[in-house]
Amino acid sequence: MFFSQLFSLIVLLVAQVRALSWTATPFNPPSIPLAVRTPYLSAWLPQGAGVALNDAWPTFWTGQILGWAGFVKVDGTAYSWLGAPSVPDATFTKATQKSFKFTATQSTFVLSAGPVDLTVNFLSPVEPTDLVKQSTPFSYLSVSASSTDGRAHSVQIYSDISAEWVSGDNGLVANWNTSSGTILTHQVQLASPTRYGEVNDHTQYGSAFYSTPNTGGATFQTGADVTVRAQFIQNGRLANTRDTNFRAISNNWPVFGLAHDLGSVTSGSVLFTVGHVRDPAIQYIVKGGALQDRSLFFWSRFSTTGDLITSFINDFSGALSRANAFDSKVNNDATKISADYASIVSLSIRQSLGSIEITIAKNSDGSWNTGDVIVFMKEISSDGNTNTVDVIFPAWPIFLYTNPQLGKFLLEGILRYQASGLYPNKWCVHDIGSSYPHATGHNDGRDEAMPVEESGNMVIMALSYAQKTGDNSHLTTYRSLLAQFTDFLITDSLIPANQISTDDFAGPLANQTNLAIKGIIGIKAMSVIASRLGDTNGANNYSSIAADYVTRWQGFAKSKTGPHLTLAYNNDASWGLSYNLYSDKLLKLNLFPQSIYDLQTAWYNTVSQQFGVPLDTRHTYTKSDWEIYTAGLVTSTSTRDLFISRVRSYAASGKNNVPLSDWYETTNGVSQGFRARPVVGGHLALLVL
Ligand SMILES: *[C@@H]1O[C@H](CO)[C@@H](O)[C@H](O)[C@H]1NC(C)=O
Ligand SMILES: *[C@@H]1O[C@H](CO)[C@@H](O)[C@H](O)[C@H]1NC(C)=O
Ligand SMILES: *[C@@H]1O[C@H](CO)[C@@H](O)[C@H](O)[C@H]1NC(C)=O
């Protein structure tokens, strides 16, 4: 007993010492985004209480290792700066991490390697208004060396990736090749790819690319991890040789190395880019049931991946300055709420946008139809569904903030499918494919039914897009479908049947107070839609139904024993986050009376745990996206800030090591089953009110 307690104490102290051995700005998150751009280009550095860049391997969002190593030689001494390589035949030490910082688009580490400091910058561009750039599945890694003693030093910089980037099964055989023009590029792929396949959430087709400008002193090598890394550590350069013994990913671990000799310098930098390209990207069901192959938007500009990589590398300084401007804008906008809020928002952006892919298809003459864009989203971790309506809904604020067009293109894939008539139910479908990257629908109508949730979500998002942009085209095209969803809401939202809401992990429940709010807001939203389309009678009709429902809902929804709304009608002791009221604010409907907002605001103040207000009385866990939505609807700044600061405490708690989970325990700050989900885009909710 005593020894185990002592051991725990030592572990705790070591953890704290490690967390304190470098500065983390604004804080150390559960996992650090390194290269996060698509559901399949998603590399992270898990943290827990704090892990240096060269203390562990980067991982895929699932936690599976992605071999990604880095060494530097300074005056003949080798240091590792990335990953946790072991190289039996060579001697090196670890560079010492001094600082870490994240912004919306970048994760930056400073490590000291003898008399030189290395600044290692991982930039995953966020360019939602440029569909070519946003659809480019590549990320930058730039490494700058700078002398700390004023003298010039001999510096060589090395990095590699392994074949773990091309599959979720390391027993599969990969092959690879290297091109050496103005850019050195390694390309690696499975020997037997499976189109549209996944294993352990990794894609099973397409290629990974690792590149660097072929400037003076650049060298390359492919081969076994221990061979290639030892070659660099011993010689400061690679052998420019190709290993053509194609083999399994884990069979003498082939790696793809790139190195630069900067010579004797006081400062210098090198650039690497990593990416994963597959084509076609998405299989989509169209009217009549045929399956359409869709490709990433960037193909409308580039005909080869080589051209894409050249452009991406040449654009680095422009991309960096645009990223810095975007980071500043996000930080300035969010800091108007609070510094805590700005840190949560900055951490959420790459994760959320890393769930989407922007696609186009070909015309019959083989040209690209860039007028027909559909964006696809992988639900990630809670399920592998494609375009889950109640995952797009919580993420919606990030699209409103960065580019509402992307939101329209996300809805388009769902609305077009349902308008095709292939889906048999009258309510809005839950998703358009049970496993990404298939968007093949649910023609049997047996998707995960969330009838009020998804119908309300869709009408609300359709109106939100139109309000934000002034573009009514979606409302016009899908008017009858939206009216069909609204008819369902009129039937089932005042007294919602026993069903699940988006918080499906909590199980089904009848008469959910918060779900009724969503449905009633949906009806009112349809009134505004009718009005926008010139249908005054329809607008008045929907509006009077919604107003009548609000009155009757108050009779059902208020607890008779405590000053709060219930979780479910007739259960007076129950309560929960009534986060669906957020849409009343977002759409400026003024549908629910001020007294309801005041009631809930006062109540939440009294029931917060250390890391936030529980989702409802069934459990003490909560959802970070709904905490922030609720922060957006409460009527007092101090209550708003309570929600924000507790979410930040959770994110910075040091107790978690997965890409930020939206689902966590309010009593101890430990995350629950989810990770890396796009819904953290909902943390931008306060920026779009
Ligand atoms: C690898 O080989 C394929 C097939 O010959 C070719 O299309 C591709 O451009 C090559 N990639 C590199 C990086 O050389
Ligand atoms: C739902 O609430 C209504 C109104 O109070 C009530 O009549 C009905 O019995 C409830 N349904 C269930 C399944 O509890
Ligand atoms: C109002 O809308 C509902 C639902 O669409 C419809 O059933 C009803 O007939 C409409 N009433 C009027 C007066 O238009």
Side-chain angles (χ1 to χ4, degrees):
M1 190 67 168
F2 172 75
F3 285 108
S4 78
Q5 281 172 346
L6 187 65
F7 180 73
S8 304
L9 183 67
I10 289 168
V11 168
L12 192 69
L13 288 173
V14 167
Q16 283 174 350
V17 167
R18 284 175 59 182
L20 290 174
S21 74
W22 62 84
T23 58
T25 310
F27 61 80
N28 226 48
S31 190
I32 295 172
L34 300 179
V36 179
R37 297 222 60 192
T38 76
Y40 302 124
L41 184 69
S42 185
W44 301 77
L45 187 67
Q47 289 300 296
V51 171
L53 185 60
N54 54 1
D55 262 345
W57 286 114
T59 69
F60 193 54
W61 66 260
T62 56
Q64 195 169 344
I65 288 172
L66 291 174
W68 199 2
F71 292 97
V72 60
K73 289 193 81 173
V74 180
D75 299 334
T77 303
Y79 304 84
S80 68
W81 52 265
L82 172 61
S86 129
V87 190
D89 294 336
T91 304
F92 67 92
T93 56
K94 283 196 220 171
T96 305
Q97 185 164 316
K98 295 163 74 173
S99 69
F100 159 67
K101 178 181 181 184
F102 71 81
T103 61
T105 64
Q106 299 168 65
S107 296
T108 306
F109 302 78
V110 177
L111 301 94
S112 70
V116 159
D117 273 1
L118 281 190
T119 300
V120 183
N121 176 268
F122 295 85
L123 166 60
S124 291
V126 170
E127 313 221 34
T129 55
D130 184 324
L131 301 186
V132 170
K133 293 193 192 311
Q134 186 61 39
S135 68
T136 296
F138 281 80
S139 193
Y140 298 104
L141 162 57
S142 69
V143 186
S144 316
S146 120
S147 168
T148 54
D149 62 6
R151 297 203 202 108
H153 297 280
S154 170
V155 176
Q156 296 84 37
I157 296 173
Y158 166 93
S159 183
D160 69 49
I161 64 166
S162 72
E164 287 158 296
W165 291 68
V166 301
S167 177
D169 178 355
N170 291 337
L172 298 181
V173 173
N175 59 43
W176 50 83
N177 53 348
T178 303
S179 63
S180 59
T182 57
I183 290 169
L184 292 176
T185 293
H186 294 297
Q187 176 175 348
V188 50
Q189 53 275 313
L190 286 176
S192 303
T194 308
R195 182 181 279 198
Y196 299 126
E198 277 191 348
V199 170
N200 294 325
D201 284 292
H202 284 259
T203 186
Q204 292 304 110
Y205 70 112
S207 305
F209 296 86
Y210 204 45
S211 304
T212 197
N214 194 3
T215 45
T219 52
F220 72 87
Q221 189 170 343
T222 58
D225 57 346
V226 291
T227 307
V228 176
R229 291 166 187 164
Q231 162 71 32
F232 174 79
I233 292 167
Q234 286 159 359
N235 305 291
R237 65 190 317 281
L238 296 173
N240 291 337
T241 53
R242 294 168 165 90
D243 177 346
T244 53
N245 174 26
F246 301 133
R247 57 190 184 271
I249 294 165
S250 61
N251 179 358
N252 288 313
W253 301 100
V255 301
F256 310 95
L258 300 167
H260 286 268
D261 185 352
L262 299 181
S264 185
V265 293
T266 53
S267 70
S269 64
V270 301
L271 178 67
F272 303 95
T273 65
V274 66
H276 191 288
V277 179
R278 64 192 207 287
D279 188 61
I282 300 280
Q283 183 181 48
Y284 181 59
I285 190 167
V286 296
K287 195 174 171 77
L291 298 178
Q292 181 187 57
D293 294 326
R294 298 188 66 91
S295 298
L296 297 181
F297 192 94
F298 77 76
W299 287 110
S300 63
R301 181 76 54 84
F302 301 101
S303 51
T304 68
T305 45
D307 291 347
L308 174 69
I309 291 168
T310 302
S311 166
F312 189 69
I313 285 185
N314 290 341
D315 188 35
F316 175 62
S317 68
L320 183 59
S321 49
R322 291 190 302 275
N324 287 335
F326 177 80
D327 291 348
S328 298
K329 177 174 163 29
V330 168
N331 194 56
N332 291 341
D333 290 349
T335 301
K336 286 176 194 149
I337 308 283
S338 69
D340 281 354
Y341 185 60
S343 65
I344 296 166
V345 164
S346 295
L347 180 61
S348 305
I349 287 177
R350 278 171 288 176
Q351 175 171 326
S352 186
L353 292 178
S355 68
I356 65 163
E357 298 191 289
I358 304 167
T359 72
I360 47 176
K362 280 185 170 159
N363 295 309
S364 50
D365 67 357
S367 61
W368 292 110
N369 181 2
T370 53
D372 171 28
V373 181
I374 300 182
V375 172
F376 293 91
M377 174 189 277
K378 182 169 173 173
E379 178 173 330
I380 299 192
S381 102
S382 45
D383 210 323
N385 295 168
T386 305
N387 288 31
T388 306
V389 177
D390 66 289
V391 172
I392 296 173
F393 178 83
W396 187 250
I398 199 172
F399 302 109
L400 287 184
Y401 180 76
T402 61
N403 181 9
Q405 288 291 330
L406 293 181
K408 177 186 186 181
F409 298 147
L410 271 163
L411 302 189
E412 173 63 22
I414 304 161
L415 291 167
R416 189 186 302 177
Y417 168 62
Q418 196 148 355
S420 74
L422 292 166
Y423 180 70
N425 300 321
K426 56 185 184 283
W427 53 79
C428 180
V429 69
H430 170 270
D431 63 78
I432 54 170
S434 46
S435 59
Y436 201 86
H438 299 275
T440 47
H442 290 281
N443 295 354
D444 61 3
R446 300 185 56 177
D447 50 320
E448 184 182 11
M450 293 183 187
V452 171
E453 176 77 50
E454 310 302 28
S455 302
N457 287 341
M458 187 54 81
V459 181
I460 289 167
M461 289 190 286
L463 174 60
S464 169
Y465 167 77
Q467 283 184 335
K468 184 79 181 178
T469 61
D471 170 14
N472 284 340
S473 61
H474 245 174
L475 304 181
T476 305
T477 306
Y478 296 111
R479 179 180 192 160
S480 64
L481 195 56
L482 296 168
Q484 173 190 318
F485 297 157
T486 308
D487 281 348
F488 175 73
L489 294 175
I490 291 170
T491 312
D492 202 51
S493 66
L494 179 60
I495 307 285
N498 186 34
Q499 63 194 286
I500 49 175
S501 75
T502 183
D503 305 313
D504 55 357
F505 45 84
L509 191 63
N511 280 331
Q512 294 182 58
T513 300
N514 186 48
L515 193 56
I517 293 171
K518 174 160 288 167
I520 299 168
I521 290 175
I523 298 167
K524 177 70 176 184
M526 191 65 205
S527 155
V528 180
I529 290 171
S531 166
R532 291 182 81 91
L533 299 182
D535 173 12
T536 311
N537 289 342
N540 290 340
N541 186 20
Y542 291 125
S543 185
S544 65
I545 295 169
D548 171 51
Y549 280 13
V550 169
T551 306
R552 289 158 67 190
W553 170 88
Q554 289 186 74
F556 297 137
K558 283 190 196 162
S559 167
K560 292 169 192 68
T561 56
H564 54 78
L565 299 177
T566 57
L567 166 65
Y569 303 165
N570 307 315
N571 183 352
D572 290 319
S574 71
W575 54 266
L577 292 177
S578 42
Y579 56 80
N580 281 328
L581 287 169
Y582 172 83
S583 301
D584 190 22
K585 297 285 177 204
L586 178 70
L587 301 176
K588 300 186 166 60
L589 302 175
N590 295 316
L591 180 61
F592 286 81
Q594 180 67 24
S595 59
I596 294 295
Y597 290 94
D598 293 338
L599 179 75
Q600 293 299 83
T601 302
W603 177 249
Y604 294 138
N605 258 324
T606 69
V607 288
S608 183
Q609 299 284 338
Q610 186 182 352
F611 295 95
V613 177
L615 182 60
D616 60 54
T617 34
R618 288 173 289 184
H619 304 90
T620 49
Y621 57 56
T622 198
K623 294 275 275 77
S624 62
D625 47 351
W626 302 143
E627 296 281 299
I628 300 296
Y629 265 57
T630 310
L633 66 90
V634 293
T635 56
S636 113
T637 306
S638 66
T639 310
R640 179 196 76 182
D641 292 344
L642 173 117
F643 278 101
I644 292 168
S645 67
R646 305 232 163 155
V647 170
R648 188 206 189 266
S649 297
Y650 151 65
S653 69
K655 295 183 174 183
N656 305 296
N657 65 359
V658 298
L660 190 61
S661 172
D662 48 301
W663 182 22
Y664 70 93
E665 173 56 50
T666 59
T667 58
N668 62 16
V670 173
S671 57
Q672 305 291 296
F674 299 165
R675 60 176 70 181
R677 299 211 315 151
V679 303
V680 298
H683 295 161
L684 279 69
L686 302 185
L687 297 181
V688 296
L689 286 176

